């Protein structure tokens, strides 16, 4: 019997710079079974917060995209909030870390950590 379960895709984009940083972090962890999970959760001063973390699980309803060997997974509930979003990585004096440019965010807080 073959498994005919089809995994959905999502509209989140991971830049080449961000993909390179994720690859570097995974190499440091010494793991090749992890994916970058991106989620939206209630919280923050604007109502919703982003979560980015490594996850070995692939859950029912997850959407998955591969960026040159870096898998990005988004849960079913977060997909509509993240459609068209771009994840980048910056390492400058002004800014360091992953950033999310989300066209669905109506407004965000001053720290940029939450949106509505």
């Amino acid at each position: 019997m073959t498994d005919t379960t089809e995994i959905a895709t999502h509209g989140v984009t991971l830049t080449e710079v961000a993909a390179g940083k994720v690859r570097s972090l995974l190499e440091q962890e010494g793991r090749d079974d992890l994916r970058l999970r991106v989620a939206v959760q209630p919280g923050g001063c604007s109502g919703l917060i982003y979560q980015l973390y490594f996850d070995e699980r692939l859950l029912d309803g997850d959407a998955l995209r591969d960026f040159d060997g870096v898998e990005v997974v988004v849960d079913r509930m977060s997909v509509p909030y993240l459609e068209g979003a771009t994840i980048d990585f910056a390492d400058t004096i002004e800014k360091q870390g992953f950033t999310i440019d989300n066209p669905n965010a109506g407004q965000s807080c001053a720290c940029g950590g939450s949106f509505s």
Side-chain angles (χ1 to χ4, degrees), residues 10-27:
H10 57 74
V12 175
T13 300
L14 188 68
T15 68
E16 285 186 37
V17 173
K21 183 60 177 180
V22 170
R23 265 189 227 92
S24 171
L25 292 169
L26 289 173
E27 286 173 12

Side-chain angles (χ1 to χ4, degrees), residues 31-49:
R31 305 265 310 259
D32 62 359
D33 62 332
L34 297 175
R35 300 169 179 88
L36 179 65
R37 182 172 288 277
V38 185
V40 173
Q41 299 290 322
C45 49
S46 291
L48 298 169
I49 57 171

Side-chain angles (χ1 to χ4, degrees), residues 37-109:
R37 182 172 288 277
V38 185
V40 173
Q41 299 290 322
C45 49
S46 291
L48 298 169
I49 57 171
Y50 298 112
Q51 291 189 329
L52 276 77
Y53 58 95
F54 292 126
D55 196 351
E56 60 192 16
R57 302 167 300 153
L58 193 57
L59 305 173
D60 189 39
D62 280 347
L64 181 74
R65 273 183 77 183
D66 186 277
F67 294 90
D68 197 23
V70 175
E71 292 182 329
V72 177
V73 64
V74 179
D75 66 87
R76 173 188 355 221
M77 300 302 284
S78 297
V79 167
Y81 294 104
L82 295 169
E83 188 65 31
T86 300
I87 300 171
D88 198 6
F89 183 81
D91 190 6
T92 65
I93 292 174
E94 297 88 22
K95 188 186 323 182
Q96 184 176 33
F98 289 97
T99 60
I100 299 177
D101 180 18
N102 187 350
N104 302 305
Q107 65 184 92
S108 62
C109 64

